[in-house]
Amino acid sequence: MSDQTTTSAESATAKTATSLWVERTGTRRYTGRSSRGAQVLVGAEGVEGVFTPGELLKIALAACTGMSSDSPLSRRLGDSYDATIRVSGDADRENEVYPQLHEVLELDLSELDEAARERLLVTVQRAIDKVCTVGRTVKAGAEVDLSFQIES
């Protein structure tokens, strides 16, 4: 076997990164796109039918919490359990940051006794803390680098 030959396991683990970009579609209106064909409408708060960037940040956090908690919850509650993650947090407009974000994971755990509920919630919290990339990034405070590509 030559050094240049890759195994099927190596090929399976090599993933193509999803490309993401945003295109301006109007005054304070953009469409976010992915190379997988997804799109989301983004705009100012007064524009109908769009999410603001801050709303998308909150939705990304809530979705990450839901996805991170999915495995332990489905193992204990079954694949058809219902969950809603509500997320909120007011912007500090003087400093243009969200100083605090609040999440509430709504679950029906009425079929579990108190001890089983507590064990499940500890497991869910650990899963979220371990694998929710968005939450971990927000808590860590990611560095953001901006560069410009100018056509001339």
Side-chain angles (χ1 to χ4, degrees):
M1 185 186 273
S2 79
D3 289 338
Q4 293 180 342
T5 305
T6 60
T7 66
S8 59
E10 289 171 330
S11 297
T13 58
K15 294 181 182 178
T16 303
T18 300
S19 296
L20 302 172
W21 67 97
V22 176
E23 297 171 348
R24 185 173 190 267
T25 57
T27 304
R28 297 186 50 83
R29 277 188 79 98
Y30 292 79
T31 299
R33 300 185 188 279
S34 84
S35 58
R36 292 190 329 267
Q39 67 179 19
V40 62
L41 303 178
V42 185
E45 192 170 353
V47 178
E48 282 297 312
V50 301
F51 289 105
T52 68
E55 290 167 342
L56 288 173
L57 172 73
K58 293 176 202 175
I59 287 172
L61 177 63
C64 192
T65 293
M67 292 173 68
S68 299
S69 63
D70 199 75
S71 289
L73 287 171
S74 63
R75 272 195 309 270
R76 185 63 175 96
L77 303 175
D79 285 334
S80 63
Y81 77 92
D82 291 325
T84 300
I85 300 95
R86 298 195 188 279
V87 61
S88 62
D90 293 330
D92 171 352
R93 289 297 173 206
E94 186 175 315
N95 296 301
E96 289 299 333
V97 297
Y98 290 96
Q100 193 168 33
L101 299 174
H102 306 278
E103 290 183 285
V104 177
L105 175 49
E106 299 174 356
L107 297 165
D108 179 359
L109 302 180
S110 60
E111 294 184 13
L112 303 179
D113 64 38
E114 178 110 12
R117 281 184 207 165
E118 194 58 38
R119 282 191 307 274
L120 179 59
L121 294 178
V122 166
T123 302
V124 167
Q125 184 67 60
R126 284 185 187 147
I128 294 166
D129 290 344
K130 183 177 180 182
V131 300
C132 179
T133 306
V134 175
R136 292 172 58 86
T137 301
V138 168
K139 289 175 185 175
E143 289 185 32
V144 178
D145 297 313
L146 172 65
S147 62
F148 297 90
Q149 180 177 331
I150 308 299
E151 296 179 22
S152 45

